[in-house]
Amino acid sequence: MSVPTPTTAAEATPQPRRKGARLTRERTVYIMNTSHIQISSRVKATVHPYVKQDLANAKYIALYAWTETVLGLSQKDLEERAAHIRQLKWFEDTEIRQAMVAFCTTPHGESHEKGRYGPFAAIVNRAFELAKGNLPGVPNSYPIDDICVVRNDPHDILCIPEHGKLGAERSPDLLFLRAEPARKLLASKAKRVRWIDVLGWIEFKASKKNLLRILNDRRKEYGLGVIDEGTWESRESTPEPYLDLALDGAEIETSVVPTVGRKHARDVEDDENDYSDPTGGPSSGSSAKKLKTTHSPTDGRTDAKIQSGGYALETAACTYGTRSFCIGIVFDNDKMSLWFYDAAGYISITTTLSLLADFEKVLSIFVGFACLGPEGWGAMPSVLSPPSQSPAHFPRASLENHTFTLPRKGRSNVRVTLTKPVFTQYSLVGRRTFVYDIRTSSVVSKEPLVVKLSYQVASRKAEQDLLALAKKAKVEHLPEVHLWGDLWKMSDGIRQIFYDRSSAMSANEDEIASYEDRTLRALVCTKYLPLKGLFAKSWKMIPEMVFQMLDCLHDLRYKAHILHRDLSCNNVMYEVRNGKVCFILNDFDLATVVTDEGEPSAVASSKHRTGTLPFMAYELLKDMTRSNKNGSGPRVMHRLRHELESLLYVTVWSTVATPDAEGKKTEFVDYLRTWEMGTVKSVEKLKWSLCSDPDEVNDIPLPLAVEPLREVFIRWFAILRRAYTKWNEIRYPEESQVSISLQEDFDVETLDGMITRDTVYKAVTEGLVAAGLAECIRTKASDGAILNAENDSREAKANGNKSSGNKANSAIPVNTSNRFPTRATKYVQPKPKAPKAPDPQKSRADKSSQRIPSTTANRGSINASNTSTTKNVDVAKKTVARRIPKAPKSTTTATRTMTTRSMMKTLTSTAKT
């Protein structure tokens, strides 16, 4: 076969654009995102667990619903094309006939499956040539003359440099390619293609199924001679030696394609010749005879469907957001299944087609693929305007120079132009976030800007709205968002067509392509820097990151009533403000609003557990394994203590990943790999060993430079160990004999106050002191944990907390405020008592007894100005009067480090007066 010549823009024929209709009805389960992975080896085991989970949630619909949605070919269209193919006698074409014989007679062994690649590519490419202008609706030129099927195995597809060693090196068997990359792959010195170049793929799995018997039945229908199963020769005529048409006359390995007259050793298991679905599913609908099957589809090897899902993951992750979906085809021997992949999940067909029994329909479908334009292969919707509309530029290397418009409150709209890609999430099902540097048509900020584009669940509260709530509550360490807007919904595109077609063709809910609607959302925000570069230069900033994130997570929960729910190394970034490092908690896509008691304020929009595997709390991972096993949704509610535990894992990860001067990088990479590449169950066990066994914490491999931080981890994990032990006693009272009253009063959110910002703060500080890292301890009065809220300060005084004189210890506040309760689950706002009728005589007596010296009265008024209730004012009066020592008239000092700035200012002015 000669590789087609690329079509020019002038020859291109525009493709019709599909339109959606109704809204969606059901949500798709999204189990996990893999955006966290930064250090990994290229092994398929790293991502196969995620692919398996997505595959388990795939939708299976009617064949013709799939073909009508993706290819624009209805049942009538396919049957009409199949009739033309039969009338034109494609099966009797010399090249196709030879390739079919080679496909069915590959010898068993290591080359059994590989021997089918060349013959199959020859069959499909010959069909493309025969279809031009001869089948209804098939053009003579573009796009069918610019697309071909090429053998790729054993070449690995090139990944993008941004992912480093992320993911797996993959080599699909056959690829749909345009002419230019096909030439590179077929050259004498083959050049590997990029995932960007791949339009689609075909994956094979072969077993010992006897295909020759099925082929002979079809040859009889066409009046052709039967192929002898012993000699592989035609009993009427000897066919010419087979040439691999896909390789344009190149030499064929005799070990792959048999020569004429070669004896074939009959295998005793070779009598499972059938046309039916080997999985026991419905038949393909062919008029050919259907026989029973007992063969093993894959002979114990990796399922082709899992491999195809891995290719879809790599395509989505390595194309910088240029694809809204991708397409794959899987062959189990002669049985073909069609697969569609996008951010909402997988869609396949309920029936399979046989290359032999359904020859005409199979080739009609492949010709349909060759007639697809850019949008048919998953090009982004036109809402992102490309610099050129020419199909000759598809597939594009990135979205560089694509533009779109965002609204700006109170001003004219802003035109956003994408420039350099910054980040692309290693994910297929879910948000699939990708980030670009940008230019804007008008000045939006003096700082560098980026735009985050992601597929967000349409029913979830938008990220910009959550950030607005948090900023209104004066939470710090948040990203600055300047512009935002929803560009496109899945319900406006091909997903809705899938739903409509499958609904019309089946009354069975299991065969309807229901989905969770997602919207492509754009957020323009300030550009921040990743942690990896900072900690490589100064690992002593790790404790400061912990302190700032403790304050941020605590304030989000108790001030703004928000839980982030996806803490990871990628979601904590930093910037330099006034010469100081300020850490930023980014990515609120999965955040949710909670009540005062920590309960979700709205019904969950999806049934999946949120989080990033290496950084998820042990209790959530354990719940995931049970939920997946039972097929139910999450049962353990996500709480603040889970956020604080995730922060611990972020800290450990960042510490282990610190560059090592001794060159032992492999040891640390191997350890981190155990956090990311296993199943949810294996990572759950790893987390439990760290939370329950002190020796496991001592065995964490740390670079020599950061070894002092082990003292922090020992104390932090000790908190979790004590808390989980107590929690198990409460949950299983029959074993621990815990009283019923203790169970009723137990605070679930903080595990009875054992996992809070303050306990973690104290453990980290004690660890730093033990490690001799006093310079890493917060001592400045301006720190967020010291002056986090005036309510914290006043409540601490009301409870009689005394200063120890040690700055390190006094910098650890104890939050027992009624406004921001740590025992949120059991906290109940006291009911106000009904006011009693005033007694005039008693009132005068009370006023007389409450008279105090003028200096003390002034101090009391200071507290009254910072307190919301009369009761707190009275307590504060006594506390301040008792704790403020006598001082010279010119100055007044306060030994209480928790005294607020407003109190100090007023006290000083009073003393001077």
Side-chain angles (χ1 to χ4, degrees):
M1 181 206 74
S2 59
V3 178
T5 304
T7 303
T8 62
E11 298 171 336
T13 303
Q15 299 296 312
R17 188 181 175 187
R18 302 182 178 95
K19 296 183 179 179
R22 302 194 303 266
L23 295 176
T24 57
R25 297 183 179 178
E26 187 180 322
R27 304 177 181 92
T28 299
V29 179
Y30 163 48
I31 302 297
M32 186 71 60
N33 77 67
T34 53
S35 60
H36 62 278
I37 307 176
Q38 293 192 8
I39 300 177
S40 174
S41 64
R42 290 187 178 278
V43 290
K44 297 173 184 177
T46 304
V47 294
H48 273 175
Y50 309 105
V51 174
K52 289 178 181 178
Q53 290 174 346
D54 291 334
L55 182 61
N57 296 305
K59 294 288 184 179
Y60 293 85
I61 66 174
L63 167 66
Y64 298 116
W66 200 102
T67 59
E68 189 171 349
T69 301
V70 177
L71 305 176
L73 296 175
S74 65
Q75 178 177 359
K76 180 181 178 181
D77 296 331
L78 281 176
E79 290 176 350
E80 183 180 0
R81 286 191 178 183
H84 276 78
I85 291 173
R86 188 178 184 88
Q87 187 176 15
L88 294 172
K89 298 183 178 181
W90 285 15
F91 194 86
E92 300 180 33
D93 178 82
T94 303
E95 295 181 10
I96 290 180
R97 190 174 69 243
Q98 293 175 7
M100 290 286 282
V101 172
F103 181 87
C104 296
T105 57
T106 52
H108 298 307
E110 294 183 0
S111 61
H112 181 37
E113 179 183 304
K114 297 180 183 298
R116 294 179 176 175
Y117 301 162
F120 186 83
I123 294 169
V124 174
N125 289 316
R126 179 59 177 167
F128 292 168
E129 293 293 329
L130 295 174
K132 294 178 184 178
N134 294 319
L135 292 184
V138 178
N140 283 310
S141 56
Y142 179 88
I144 193 170
D145 66 341
D146 191 41
I147 293 177
C148 58
V149 172
V150 180
R151 174 175 177 170
N152 174 73
D153 181 85
H155 304 295
D156 294 325
I157 309 295
L158 290 171
C159 295
I160 57 176
E162 286 81 356
H163 283 162
K165 293 185 177 181
L166 176 64
E169 290 183 342
R170 298 186 178 275
S171 53
D173 298 336
L174 301 177
L175 297 175
F176 284 98
L177 295 174
R178 294 194 67 175
E180 191 59 34
R183 285 197 187 93
K184 295 179 181 179
L185 190 58
L186 293 175
S188 56
K189 293 183 179 180
K191 295 183 179 180
R192 296 161 62 189
V193 298
R194 306 165 297 173
W195 284 108
I196 293 170
D197 301 318
V198 176
L199 301 177
W201 55 87
I202 306 169
E203 185 67 13
F204 286 88
K205 273 294 174 284
S207 66
K208 294 182 179 180
K209 179 180 179 182
N210 189 339
L211 299 183
L212 188 56
R213 295 185 184 180
I214 308 174
L215 176 63
N216 280 333
D217 288 341
R218 294 309 313 273
R219 289 175 66 91
K220 289 178 182 178
E221 292 181 22
Y222 282 93
L224 299 175
V226 176
I227 304 298
D228 186 270
E229 295 187 27
T231 63
W232 292 336
E233 295 180 4
S234 173
R235 294 177 183 173
E236 293 184 358
S237 60
T238 302
E240 301 174 3
Y242 166 72
L243 295 179
D244 189 344
L245 305 173
L247 297 179
D248 220 4
E251 290 187 6
I252 292 297
E253 299 178 13
T254 56
S255 61
V256 176
V257 180
T259 57
V260 176
R262 179 176 173 180
K263 290 287 184 180
H264 168 49
R266 290 288 303 276
D267 192 288
V268 293
E269 299 180 9
D270 276 3
D271 43 320
E272 301 91 354
N273 48 352
D274 68 286
Y275 303 155
S276 61
D277 191 336
T279 62
S283 65
S284 64
S286 169
S287 58
K289 182 179 178 181
K290 307 294 189 294
L291 299 177
K292 185 179 178 182
T293 179
T294 57
H295 74 276
S296 171
T298 59
D299 289 350
R301 297 185 296 276
T302 303
D303 193 334
K305 296 187 293 293
I306 296 176
Q307 288 185 308
S308 182
Y311 305 151
L313 172 59
E314 298 294 338
T315 302
C318 296
T319 51
Y320 298 106
T322 59
R323 307 287 180 85
S324 60
F325 63 84
C326 48
I327 297 169
I329 300 175
V330 173
F331 270 90
D332 182 0
N333 289 302
D334 61 316
K335 300 290 186 177
M336 179 183 76
S337 58
L338 307 172
W339 290 85
F340 174 93
Y341 308 90
D342 69 356
Y346 300 3
I347 300 179
S348 187
I349 55 177
T350 55
T351 60
T352 59
L353 291 175
S354 168
L355 173 64
L356 304 176
D358 305 296
F359 171 79
E360 293 83 4
K361 283 186 181 179
V362 169
L363 291 193
S364 296
I365 290 174
F366 272 92
V367 171
F369 281 116
C371 294
L372 292 177
E375 286 193 4
W377 290 110
M380 285 294 289
S382 56
V383 66
L384 293 175
S385 302
S388 171
Q389 296 290 345
S390 172
H393 296 100
F394 179 82
R396 296 180 182 274
S398 72
L399 294 176
E400 185 175 358
N401 292 325
H402 282 60
T403 61
F404 57 91
T405 302
L406 291 178
R408 193 176 186 185
K409 190 174 181 180
R411 302 185 185 181
S412 58
N413 293 345
V414 177
R415 192 70 176 169
V416 177
T417 301
L418 307 182
T419 57
K420 181 182 177 182
V422 176
F423 168 80
T424 176
Q425 186 180 23
Y426 192 75
S427 173
L428 169 62
V429 179
R431 294 168 291 162
R432 282 181 55 186
T433 302
F434 47 102
V435 181
Y436 277 80
D437 286 331
I438 62 170
R439 299 190 307 268
T440 55
S441 58
S442 59
V443 177
V444 175
S445 172
K446 294 181 180 180
E447 302 296 330
L449 299 176
V450 295
V451 63
K452 181 178 100 172
L453 296 150
S454 55
Y455 293 91
Q456 298 294 332
V457 176
S459 59
R460 188 185 295 277
K461 196 174 186 67
E463 181 176 5
Q464 65 270 15
D465 296 335
L466 291 169
L467 287 171
L469 287 175
K471 292 201 172 185
K472 186 177 181 180
K474 301 189 182 303
V475 179
E476 298 182 351
H477 306 289
L478 302 177
E480 189 69 30
V481 178
H482 305 280
L483 303 170
W484 58 85
D486 292 345
L487 305 180
W488 173 75
K489 281 188 176 182
M490 285 188 167
S491 55
D492 295 331
I494 193 171
R495 264 287 173 172
Q496 186 61 34
I497 303 176
F498 266 122
Y499 178 81
D500 293 337
R501 298 291 185 272
S502 59
S503 299
M505 294 187 185
S506 177
N508 186 351
E509 289 291 332
D510 294 335
E511 297 180 7
I512 297 177
S514 53
Y515 65 102
E516 185 177 44
D517 197 11
R518 290 179 176 270
T519 180
L520 181 62
R521 181 166 297 150
L523 262 74
V524 173
C525 57
T526 303
K527 186 175 183 178
Y528 300 105
L529 303 173
L531 295 180
K532 191 174 181 181
L534 175 66
F535 295 155
K537 297 177 182 178
S538 177
W539 62 267
K540 290 186 178 180
M541 292 303 300
I542 294 178
E544 181 62 21
M545 181 269 292
V546 173
F547 292 140
Q548 292 188 25
M549 286 299 102
L550 283 172
D551 291 338
C552 181
L553 294 171
H554 177 88
D555 290 351
L556 276 172
R557 164 64 183 88
Y558 293 117
K559 286 185 176 182
H561 301 293
I562 292 174
L563 291 178
H564 186 273
R565 302 201 304 170
D566 189 22
L567 203 65
S568 69
C569 284
N570 277 351
N571 291 342
V572 180
M573 308 186 82
Y574 80 96
E575 68 173 351
V576 179
R577 296 178 182 173
N578 300 323
K580 297 180 181 179
V581 174
C582 179
F583 292 92
I584 303 295
L585 181 58
N586 217 345
D587 196 353
F588 281 69
D589 292 339
L590 300 180
T592 188
V593 177
V594 296
T595 63
D596 290 339
E597 290 74 29
E599 308 283 343
S601 61
V603 179
S605 62
S606 60
K607 297 176 285 186
H608 65 274
R609 169 68 66 199
T610 60
T612 303
L613 186 61
F615 311 109
M616 289 180 68
Y618 157 73
E619 194 175 18
L620 301 182
L621 291 172
K622 185 176 181 180
D623 185 52
M624 279 185 64
T625 57
R626 290 182 174 180
S627 299
N628 292 340
K629 183 177 180 180
N630 301 331
S632 59
R635 296 176 298 176
V636 175
M637 189 178 301
H638 195 120
R639 301 185 183 275
L640 177 61
R641 60 183 166 88
H642 299 132
E643 308 265 77
L644 301 181
E645 185 176 339
S646 292
L647 179 60
L648 168 57
Y649 300 133
V650 169
T651 307
V652 173
W653 181 285
S654 300
T655 305
V656 176
T658 302
D660 178 50
E662 296 185 347
K664 297 181 180 179
K665 184 177 180 180
T666 303
E667 177 185 0
F668 308 128
V669 170
D670 291 342
Y671 178 74
L672 294 180
R673 193 180 302 152
T674 62
W675 288 40
E676 66 183 10
M677 69 178 293
T679 62
V680 175
K681 185 66 177 177
S682 65
V683 178
E684 173 214 326
K685 291 181 178 179
L686 172 65
K687 298 289 181 65
W688 176 243
S689 66
L690 290 171
C691 293
S692 61
D693 188 354
D695 290 337
E696 291 292 332
V697 182
N698 289 323
D699 290 340
I700 297 176
L702 297 178
L704 183 62
V706 298
E707 180 63 35
L709 290 181
R710 190 183 302 276
E711 296 291 338
V712 173
F713 302 148
I714 290 172
R715 287 159 177 78
W716 200 338
F717 276 111
I719 293 176
L720 299 180
R721 184 165 59 254
R722 292 191 295 268
Y724 278 128
T725 300
K726 186 68 174 178
W727 181 222
N728 286 332
E729 292 176 357
I730 295 295
R731 289 195 300 166
Y732 307 107
E734 64 280 0
E735 299 180 7
S736 57
Q737 298 181 349
V738 176
S739 65
I740 296 178
S741 61
L742 186 58
Q743 296 179 51
E744 294 176 348
D745 295 336
F746 192 82
D747 171 27
V748 177
E749 179 163 35
T750 65
L751 296 189
D752 221 25
M754 300 183 76
I755 306 178
T756 66
R757 174 193 63 177
D758 306 326
T759 57
V760 174
Y761 204 115
K762 182 178 180 181
V764 173
T765 303
E766 290 176 351
L768 293 174
V769 171
L773 296 174
E775 69 272 17
C776 296
I777 301 174
R778 282 190 169 187
T779 56
K780 297 180 180 180
S782 61
D783 283 339
I786 298 176
L787 297 176
N788 186 47
E790 291 187 1
N791 287 322
D792 290 350
S793 175
R794 290 192 299 276
E795 193 65 25
K797 293 178 181 180
N799 284 277
N801 294 325
K802 297 182 179 180
S803 172
S804 64
N806 186 317
K807 290 183 178 181
N809 292 333
S810 64
I812 307 173
V814 178
N815 176 32
T816 56
S817 166
N818 283 339
R819 183 181 178 189
F820 310 127
T822 54
R823 299 190 59 180
T825 304
K826 293 297 180 182
Y827 172 74
V828 179
Q829 184 71 28
K831 297 181 179 180
K833 296 181 179 180
K836 297 181 179 180
D839 185 347
Q841 294 183 356
K842 186 177 180 180
S843 177
R844 286 193 294 270
D846 290 343
K847 289 181 179 179
S848 176
S849 64
Q850 290 178 6
R851 290 173 183 169
I852 54 177
S854 58
T855 305
T856 309
N858 289 336
R859 292 170 185 165
S861 65
I862 297 168
N863 286 276
S865 65
N866 294 310
T867 311
S868 58
T869 63
T870 305
K871 181 179 179 180
N872 285 346
V873 173
D874 294 337
V875 176
K877 287 179 182 178
K878 298 176 183 179
T879 304
V880 175
R882 181 173 63 251
R883 287 187 170 276
I884 301 296
K886 293 182 179 180
K889 294 182 179 180
S890 58
T891 58
T892 298
T893 60
T895 58
R896 180 72 175 169
T897 59
M898 292 297 294
T899 304
T900 63
R901 293 177 177 175
S902 58
M903 293 171 62
M904 286 292 297
K905 183 177 180 181
T906 310
L907 289 172
T908 303
S909 62
T910 302
K912 290 182 179 179
T913 304

